[in-house]
């Protein structure tokens, strides 16, 4: 069983930065695509970024150029560096492991979700 634990969320002013971490158990983690999703109140959970085991990444248009996803396979950890944060980035952020070998943007292609970490950006 794979367990994912997110951390690093918090309250930040617009224009600020946060780095989220997704720590996973299970050494097979390094072979899989890992994605970050977010869900704001009253909205659907949406794709933010995803990364392949080799490091290739994909971003949602809304965060491209501001967010950077990376991974340290030795530490079984995936990171999401978020810069130039905007109030519309406020959401609960989740990481998840994909069942695909490519970076899917569809939440139904992901299993083993973490519990989420709250990110709040004030204006």
């Amino acid at each position: 069983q794979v367990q994912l634990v997110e951390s690093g969320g918090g309250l930040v002013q617009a224009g600020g930065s946060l780095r989220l971490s997704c720590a996973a158990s299970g050494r097979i983690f390094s072979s899989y695509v890992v994605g970050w999703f977010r869900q704001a109140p009253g909205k659907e959970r949406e794709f933010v970024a995803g990364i392949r085991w080799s490091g290739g990444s994909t971003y949602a248009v809304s965060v491209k150029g501001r967010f950077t996803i990376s991974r340290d396979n030795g530490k079984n950890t995936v990171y999401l560096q978020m810069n130039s944060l905007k109030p519309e980035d406020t959401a609960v952020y989740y990481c998840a492991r994909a069942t695909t070998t490519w970076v899917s943007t569809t939440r139904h292609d992901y299993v083993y979700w973490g519990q989420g970490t709250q990110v709040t950006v004030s204006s």
Side-chain angles (χ1 to χ4, degrees):
Q1 186 77 4
V2 175
Q3 289 186 318
L4 304 177
V5 178
E6 303 95 337
S7 62
L11 174 65
V12 64
Q13 289 187 331
S17 299
L18 284 173
R19 189 176 82 154
L20 306 183
S21 298
C22 171
S25 61
R27 58 189 179 94
I28 61 173
F29 176 77
S30 62
S31 303
Y32 290 89
V33 168
V34 175
W36 284 97
F37 287 74
R38 66 186 181 187
Q39 188 166 17
K43 294 189 176 181
E44 294 290 318
R45 191 170 300 189
E46 64 176 2
F47 173 81
V48 175
I51 188 167
R52 297 181 63 194
W53 69 271
S54 60
S57 56
T58 299
Y59 296 91
V61 172
S62 60
V63 306
K64 199 167 186 178
R66 299 188 297 123
F67 291 10
T68 303
I69 189 171
S70 61
R71 69 191 300 165
D72 185 335
N73 290 332
K75 295 182 178 180
N76 273 356
T77 302
V78 172
Y79 304 98
L80 185 67
Q81 178 66 44
M82 306 186 296
N83 298 329
S84 301
L85 283 161
K86 305 175 181 179
E88 51 264 44
D89 295 317
T90 295
V92 177
Y93 283 70
Y94 301 88
C95 66
R97 199 205 80 182
T99 58
T100 57
T101 57
W102 63 92
V103 179
S104 170
T105 60
T106 303
R107 61 175 292 187
H108 299 295
D109 285 331
Y110 288 79
V111 295
Y112 301 120
W113 292 82
Q115 83 289 348
T117 185
Q118 177 71 47
V119 171
T120 303
V121 184
S122 62
S123 56

